[in-house]
Amino acid sequence: MDTNHIPIFPEQASAIAGSVDGLYAFLVLTTAFFSLLIAVLIVYFAIKYRRRSDDYIPGPVHGGLALEIIWSVIPLGLSMVMFAWGASLFFTESRPPDDSLEIYVTGKQWMWKLQHMEGQREMNELHIPVNRNIKLTMTSEDVIHDFFVPAFRSKSDVLPGKYTTEWFRPTKVGTYHIFCAEYCGTRHSNMIGTVYVMEPNHYAEWLATGGAQGSLAQRGEALFQQLGCVNCHQTDGQGRCPNLIGVFGKPVRTNVGVVTADASYVRESILNPGAKIVDGYQNIMPVFQGLVTEEGLQQLIEYVRSLGPTASDVTRIQPGGSAGGGHALPPGRVDPDPKGKGVSPPQQ
Ligand code: CUA
């Protein structure tokens, strides 16, 4: 990147960057136009209606209905345009497309840790292919951070205790800045990184250089055995905990109503199993808060995702196969409707 000057606008390197800049230009131009208009009118009227002599008394002024309607309706219309335009962009940025390449991001004071589905892990660097939708699933180990890539016009808060998402479609090969955009302590300004947008073949080569320890789902499976989860979450439905096959992404009937078994739900069910109990099961699973790292949770989630809902060709869990004997884990979680028939809406 050119270090001799700081550009007024960052490069437009994502599919949405042009639209964001369009809205921004509209806001700036509208604001500038009215600021100028008002400033000029103030000066003009101050001169035109100035006091001509010490004993001059001006005539009374009455309202002008037409004038008042005009200066109400025009700003209303303009602000509605801003609202609709901004809301439409906001919704686009809030909804990652289904075909997105998913990557996990964990923020902590003061670094970014990233995990790819194929198993590669990076720190303060993100390698992605050009012209693919990229979805980041993000969380924090400590305080609030914010993952910001100015060239993509894309940013989202990264919160402890939950997942937030951010997506973009990079359109230009190159390197771009990552900033933390939420003040998070002494070295906040050092919490930076680099996005490498690569040609698909270069990206494939890069992918092939890592992941020696297996994909995220494979690491999750190892963790699943190691933590003893496998002892209760048996795949034959005979365990004390719900069978996890075919569950991910499906509605689950629980004591607090029907919820979707997404990443946030699986995460919560590991850390705090009592929060939502699957119908027909008891709250006997131990709490894993503090026992699994955020990255471990991401691996477990990917393992559960790999089990379904199209579980025909995935590795089946072998009950009792945990490394080192695993402590007998009591139960708690997931699965509503293993046959995938769908669940009726909550009765509230
Ligand atoms: Cu992390 Cu600022």
Side-chain angles (χ1 to χ4, degrees):
M1 184 156 281
D2 188 350
T3 51
N4 293 323
H5 74 285
I6 297 172
I8 294 176
F9 275 94
E11 205 172 336
Q12 294 182 343
S14 77
I16 205 166
S19 313
V20 173
D21 289 356
L23 173 60
Y24 190 66
F26 176 74
L27 295 177
V28 169
L29 290 177
T30 311
T31 312
F33 172 77
F34 282 101
S35 302
L36 255 171
L37 179 70
I38 290 167
V40 166
L41 287 179
I42 286 174
V43 172
Y44 171 74
F45 288 137
I47 294 168
K48 179 173 182 192
Y49 297 109
R50 69 186 183 280
R51 199 171 195 190
R52 312 268 169 168
S53 64
D54 284 350
D55 53 0
Y56 171 70
I57 303 199
V61 176
H62 300 284
L65 183 63
L67 205 56
E68 287 179 21
I69 288 175
I70 287 170
W71 75 44
S72 301
V73 167
I74 291 178
L76 177 71
L78 281 170
S79 44
M80 284 300 123
V81 169
M82 291 172 188
F83 168 71
W85 192 345
S88 122
L89 267 174
F90 177 82
F91 283 120
T92 305
E93 292 227 41
S94 307
R95 292 178 181 156
D98 289 339
D99 63 355
S100 298
L101 194 65
E102 297 199 36
I103 294 166
Y104 280 101
V105 177
T106 307
K108 65 175 279 195
Q109 290 169 319
W110 287 275
M111 65 178 75
W112 299 107
K113 298 184 289 186
L114 299 101
Q115 295 200 105
H116 294 250
M117 293 304 155
E118 295 79 2
Q120 282 74 8
R121 304 167 78 167
E122 331 188 49
M123 197 165 291
N124 297 331
E125 292 191 343
L126 171 59
H127 290 76
I128 46 174
V130 72
N131 292 325
R132 277 289 303 271
N133 295 325
I134 310 289
K135 173 186 173 184
L136 307 179
T137 302
M138 312 189 292
T139 191
S140 164
E141 285 182 13
D142 38 47
V143 300
I144 301 176
H145 303 279
D146 188 300
F147 195 93
F148 181 30
V149 182
F152 298 163
R153 306 296 189 272
S154 176
K155 72 192 279 286
S156 177
D157 274 6
V158 178
L159 308 174
K162 67 173 288 191
Y163 287 126
T164 55
T165 60
E166 175 171 340
W167 80 276
F168 38 78
R169 184 183 184 86
T171 50
K172 273 187 199 169
V173 170
T175 61
Y176 307 99
H177 290 299
I178 301 168
F179 292 109
C180 176
E182 184 74 38
Y183 180 67
C184 55
T186 316
R187 298 188 57 217
H188 157 71
S189 58
N190 285 347
M191 194 166 165
I192 53 179
T194 307
V195 183
Y196 296 87
V197 177
M198 312 167 88
E199 294 291 356
N201 54 330
H202 292 157
Y203 176 71
E205 284 169 21
W206 177 83
L207 268 188
T209 63
Q213 296 173 59
S215 68
L216 270 203
Q218 286 165 339
R219 290 189 209 193
E221 182 173 15
L223 203 50
F224 194 80
Q225 307 256 352
Q226 194 187 325
L227 293 169
C229 316
V230 66
N231 295 325
C232 296
H233 289 285
Q234 295 177 7
T235 54
D236 55 6
Q238 302 303 305
R240 283 170 293 170
C241 314
N243 176 355
L244 300 180
I245 297 222
V247 166
F248 197 89
K250 286 295 184 65
V252 177
R253 205 192 302 253
T254 75
N255 62 331
V256 296
V258 175
V259 298
T260 300
D262 56 10
S264 296
Y265 170 76
V266 176
R267 181 181 185 282
E268 179 187 59
S269 296
I270 297 168
L271 295 179
N272 180 21
K276 300 182 179 78
I277 306 294
V278 176
D279 282 4
Y281 290 89
Q282 292 183 346
N283 182 20
I284 52 174
M285 175 169 153
V287 168
F288 279 86
Q289 187 81 51
L291 301 178
V292 193
T293 62
E294 288 296 343
E295 283 151 310
L297 289 167
Q298 293 158 7
Q299 294 163 4
L300 286 169
I301 288 165
E302 285 315 305
Y303 173 58
V304 174
R305 187 204 300 267
S306 75
L307 295 176
T310 50
S312 54
D313 56 352
V314 301
T315 335
R316 300 291 167 152
I317 315 163
Q318 297 305 316
S322 63
H327 43 287
L329 260 214
R333 220 59 324 169
V334 197
D335 167 41
D337 179 14
K339 304 266 184 342
K341 292 189 298 282
V343 183
S344 57
Q347 309 96 346
Q348 313 229 45

